[in-house]
Amino acid sequence: GSKYSYIEVMACPAGCVNGGGQIRAEEGEGEAPKARLARVIQTYRQGQEHRVGAENPEVERFYSELVAAPACSDRAKQLLHTQYHPRVL
């Protein structure tokens, strides 16, 4: 079996690089938030071959073997997509 229980994929409309749950900058570092975000994005992208998910062989294999349906299919949406709604507290 796998050593992973689950994999969380965050697909934030405005991007979630260094977003929720990620390592935060140390207080008082003096780096502007936008500069830090640019540095995090650059670091993240270094050495990555595939930038388009639909062209990534691992993503294609995931949909083929695990979802057993194309990425935009009803089955994929049912298994992998969610919608957010306001919660009343």
Side-chain angles (χ1 to χ4, degrees), residues 48-62:
Q48 289 190 354
E49 283 181 43
H50 304 285
R51 297 296 312 153
V52 179
E55 296 173 1
N56 184 324
E58 292 300 316
V59 172
E60 290 177 359
R61 188 171 71 86
F62 169 80

Side-chain angles (χ1 to χ4, degrees), residues 20-75:
Q22 303 299 311
I23 298 170
R24 299 284 184 219
E26 292 292 325
E27 292 293 327
E29 278 187 359
E31 186 174 28
K34 286 187 178 184
R36 176 162 176 77
L37 180 59
R39 189 167 56 82
V40 169
I41 290 170
Q42 181 181 12
T43 301
Y44 174 74
R45 291 183 175 166
Q46 285 176 345
Q48 289 190 354
E49 283 181 43
H50 304 285
R51 297 296 312 153
V52 179
E55 296 173 1
N56 184 324
E58 292 300 316
V59 172
E60 290 177 359
R61 188 171 71 86
F62 169 80
Y63 278 100
S64 173
E65 294 178 13
L66 299 175
V67 179
C72 294
S73 67
D74 288 338
R75 176 171 172 73

Side-chain angles (χ1 to χ4, degrees), residues 7-25:
I7 298 172
E8 177 183 12
V9 178
M10 297 173 65
C12 309
C16 50
V17 174
N18 211 43
Q22 303 299 311
I23 298 170
R24 299 284 184 219

